[in-house]
Amino acid sequence: MCRRCSLTLPQRKKAPNNGVYIEIGETGSNVNNPQKLKLKAGDRFPETSNHNRLWSYQRRP
């Protein structure tokens, strides 16, 4: 689990909530050119662009 985020999700799982999800590094670090997705609850996450990345819920500013 990331220190910045309350939620990190393994690949190929379903989104638990509606919202925007972003790729982060496996240690919780920021990555260059991360994918950002707007998903609805129950939608499946696509593959990350790198096997060392995870999906995380992006908080609202």
Side-chain angles (χ1 to χ4, degrees), residues 9-32:
L9 303 160
Q11 294 178 16
R12 309 309 297 167
K13 295 286 183 176
K14 294 181 180 181
N17 300 310
N18 296 340
V20 177
Y21 293 85
I22 188 168
E23 281 184 317
I24 62 169
E26 63 186 352
T27 60
S29 60
N30 291 333
V31 296
N32 293 332

Side-chain angles (χ1 to χ4, degrees), residues 1 3-4 7 18 22 26 28 32 43 47 59:
M1 192 175 295
R3 287 183 217 145
R4 294 181 299 115
L7 181 65
N18 296 340
I22 188 168
E26 63 186 352
N32 293 332
D43 289 348
E47 290 291 326
R59 293 183 187 173

Side-chain angles (χ1 to χ4, degrees), residues 9-13 45-48 50-55:
L9 303 160
Q11 294 178 16
R12 309 309 297 167
K13 295 286 183 176
F45 291 106
E47 290 291 326
T48 57
N50 181 323
H51 70 281
N52 291 328
R53 295 184 182 178
L54 300 171
W55 289 108

Side-chain angles (χ1 to χ4, degrees), residues 19-21 36-40 43:
V20 177
Y21 293 85
K36 292 183 184 180
L37 302 171
K38 187 172 185 178
L39 298 175
K40 293 183 179 178
D43 289 348

